[in-house]
Amino acid sequence: MTSGEIRAPGGNAMDLTSGPIARTLLIFALPALGSNVLQSVNGSINAVWIGQLVGETGLAATANANLVMFMMFALIFGFGMASTIIIGQCAGRGDLAGMRQGVGTGVTLFFVLGLVATLVGWLTAPQLLHLLGTPDDVFPQALIYLRVMYLGLPTSLLTVFFAMAMRGAGDSLTPMLLMLPGMFIDIALNPLLILGWGPIPAMGIKGAAMATLIANFVSFVVMVAVIYARDLPVRLRGPEWRYLVPRRDLVGIIVGKGIPMGLQMVVMSVSALVMLGLVNREGTDTVAAYGAINQLWTYIQMPAMAIGMAASAMAAQNIGAGKWDRIDRIAVAGVLVNLALTGSMVVLTLLFDHRLLTLFLADHADAIMIAEHIGLLASWAFILMGVTMVLSSITRANGATMVPLVIMVLAYIPGRLGSIYLLNDSIGADAIWWSFPIGGALSLLLTFAYYWQGSWRNIRLLATVEEAEEFVQSEGEPTGRILPNG
């Protein structure tokens, strides 16, 4: 196989470096959007099982445990995004060996991180839950749930990595399809293990965690089996197994670029916690309203997340192929598709907000009225955030990670939180809701300025094909290394 033969037989990989940009972007983004929807549906159904079969304390326990898991995933997820950039650029330039070296290094790194996170998480779980202020009546169940979830981290992280790697190689459909077996198993096992059946004892909240643990392991096994059965580009065979020995230069890129990207998710998480604390001061009805509108916002954000992922993968491949003339067109197409999809979601949500909110708030008229008010003031901010996501995803596709992190910190701290402080005396609780569009507008302006200024285009993340080959042959020459930059 030559270096240019990226697509293996039976794969669903798309050529992201040629053809109509907007159409290709949309087709590539739709399966990613489907993956986001499936994850949310799976989480919602499991929450219903736990709420109905375990009770309020069980639901509160999973909420606390999941927040801890999300914070841990946040940092590690950045490493996956960095690996995807490497794989995407190698795929774009037709460097199959380089792409598989990225896969091998990523697999080893994620497996080791998973083992370390499992050990550290198991030992520190009580302290983390106390740090979150987990109520005493919720703490025992939250600890059980969290520790069982930690056991599945190594395979869960590898599953996420392989899905991201396939998307980087141009295949967003296969990862979506491979989610289905694990999703069905998770949904089916939850009531069975919570309540027990026949020789299976009733395990309560531990059963809910075990269901997810088993489902994630099955997903990993199925994913690896399909990768090898269909001979997908992200597989390793024969002499390629040596790629599992991490290359120092690739580890440098993954860690150096992954930490800032992971920190962006941490900033978002911390900001969400601070916002929740501010909302908690407004009373029970406002807290319930905020929780309900957040359920709707979860789905509003999905198109932007999918389009951002697609734009990043598409940009990475075109950068790898040296087709810089297509990058601005990818940005324009991504912005327009985001405006259409996210804008439509916002409009539909506002038109039918009362009926949708009733699903979560039943007949709590005061809370529904507050939630409608929050949605009217803040929901359209996600259109701005979607445009920002597209532009920042494209700059990250060339390894620009520090400036987007700084922009996010500025948008969330002086932007969002600062606006609440300045406006609180004059408009009260509305300052919280107005902070969403204010922070979104600041983030968009700064991101657009950085994109337009163009210094991110000068970053040289990956070496050329010739330099990469020289590295493989010499294993020590500086010219053969894939160097981090910026």
Side-chain angles (χ1 to χ4, degrees):
M1 178 178 286
T2 66
S3 62
E5 293 176 323
I6 291 294
R7 284 167 200 80
N12 294 308
M14 296 175 60
D15 182 4
L16 304 180
T17 63
S18 61
I21 290 176
R23 179 176 177 273
T24 302
L25 181 72
L26 182 59
I27 293 174
F28 188 74
L30 287 177
L33 176 59
S35 297
N36 291 337
V37 172
L38 289 175
Q39 286 178 336
S40 295
V41 170
N42 188 19
S44 297
I45 294 175
N46 286 347
V48 170
W49 281 131
I50 294 170
Q52 294 293 324
L53 302 180
V54 180
E56 291 181 357
T57 56
L59 202 56
T62 59
N64 280 267
N66 286 335
L67 183 57
V68 174
M69 291 295 293
F70 179 81
M71 294 290 286
M72 181 163 289
F73 260 102
L75 274 174
I76 299 175
F77 191 73
F79 299 145
M81 295 171 68
S83 302
T84 302
I85 293 170
I86 294 172
I87 293 167
Q89 288 199 16
C90 288
R93 73 185 186 187
D95 181 8
L96 183 61
M99 188 178 74
R100 286 179 173 161
Q101 286 173 6
V103 171
T105 297
V107 165
T108 301
L109 183 61
F110 266 61
F111 183 69
V112 172
L113 286 172
L115 291 178
V116 172
T118 297
L119 178 61
V120 173
W122 182 279
L123 296 175
T124 62
Q127 291 78 14
L128 289 172
L129 290 173
H130 282 307
L131 188 63
L132 284 176
T134 305
D136 291 339
D137 60 334
V138 173
F139 181 86
Q141 294 193 66
L143 182 60
I144 293 171
Y145 186 87
L146 184 57
R147 280 182 161 170
V148 173
M149 294 295 289
Y150 272 132
L151 294 176
L153 267 180
T155 54
S156 295
L157 289 175
L158 285 175
T159 302
V160 170
F161 172 75
F162 277 121
M164 297 178 76
M166 283 188 275
R167 293 187 184 109
D171 182 0
S172 61
L173 179 59
T174 301
M176 184 195 75
L177 296 177
L178 291 177
M179 287 183 63
L180 295 174
M183 175 182 170
F184 291 137
I185 289 173
D186 195 8
I187 293 172
L189 285 182
N190 256 279
L192 184 65
L193 298 183
I194 290 173
L195 296 178
W197 183 73
I200 301 174
M203 291 184 278
I205 194 67
K206 183 179 179 180
M210 288 295 298
T212 301
L213 178 70
I214 294 169
N216 288 342
F217 181 76
V218 171
S219 292
F220 171 71
V221 172
V222 170
M223 181 169 284
V224 172
V226 169
I227 287 172
Y228 279 87
R230 300 178 66 183
D231 198 32
L232 299 182
V234 295
R235 60 92 178 132
L236 302 176
R237 291 187 190 275
E240 294 169 343
W241 288 111
R242 71 182 187 275
Y243 295 155
L244 289 173
V245 178
R247 274 177 46 180
R248 290 189 305 273
D249 51 348
L250 291 182
V251 172
I253 293 177
I254 293 171
V255 174
K257 302 300 181 182
I259 288 177
M261 286 190 279
L263 286 175
Q264 290 182 47
M265 297 186 68
V266 172
V267 170
M268 292 173 62
S269 302
V270 172
S271 175
L273 288 175
V274 174
M275 294 294 286
L276 183 58
L278 294 172
V279 173
N280 284 339
R281 299 189 309 186
E282 301 300 324
T284 303
D285 284 341
T286 301
V287 174
Y290 185 66
I293 199 67
N294 262 286
Q295 293 290 330
L296 302 187
W297 285 348
T298 297
Y299 292 94
I300 289 177
Q301 292 180 80
M302 285 182 182
M305 294 172 61
I307 296 162
M309 182 281 301
S312 180
M314 199 169 186
Q317 286 202 17
N318 280 273
I319 291 170
K323 296 185 177 182
W324 281 95
D325 58 303
R326 288 170 57 90
I327 300 301
D328 286 339
R329 291 158 57 198
I330 293 171
V332 171
V335 168
L336 293 177
V337 173
N338 170 74
L339 290 174
L341 294 184
T342 305
S344 297
M345 289 293 293
V346 170
V347 171
L348 288 172
T349 300
L350 292 178
L351 286 175
F352 300 100
D353 56 354
H354 188 86
R355 293 181 181 178
L356 295 172
L357 291 167
T358 302
L359 296 174
F360 305 102
L361 297 172
D363 57 351
H364 297 289
D366 290 341
I368 291 174
M369 184 175 64
I370 295 171
E372 290 174 344
H373 180 69
I374 296 172
L376 187 62
L377 294 183
S379 292
W380 61 277
F382 291 100
I383 300 175
L384 304 178
M385 296 176 190
V387 175
T388 301
M389 193 172 294
V390 170
L391 297 179
S392 61
S393 294
I394 291 175
T395 60
R396 284 197 300 265
N398 199 39
T401 56
M402 285 306 300
V403 173
L405 173 60
V406 172
I407 290 174
M408 178 169 286
V409 171
L410 292 174
Y412 278 85
I413 298 179
R416 182 176 291 182
L417 298 180
S419 65
I420 295 174
Y421 176 78
L422 292 174
L423 297 174
N424 186 66
D425 289 342
S426 58
I427 61 176
D430 278 357
I432 301 175
W433 324 132
W434 275 110
S435 72
F436 284 88
I438 291 172
L442 177 60
S443 180
L444 176 56
L445 288 173
L446 293 174
T447 301
F448 179 78
Y450 180 57
Y451 181 91
W452 185 264
Q453 183 262 346
S455 61
W456 60 274
R457 299 172 186 265
N458 300 324
I459 294 174
R460 185 169 181 252
L461 182 69
L462 294 179
T464 63
V465 177
E466 291 77 13
E467 289 172 337
E469 290 174 350
E470 185 177 344
F471 176 90
V472 173
Q473 294 169 2
S474 66
E475 288 294 331
E477 294 297 325
T479 56
R481 294 179 183 170
I482 299 180
L483 298 173
N485 194 324

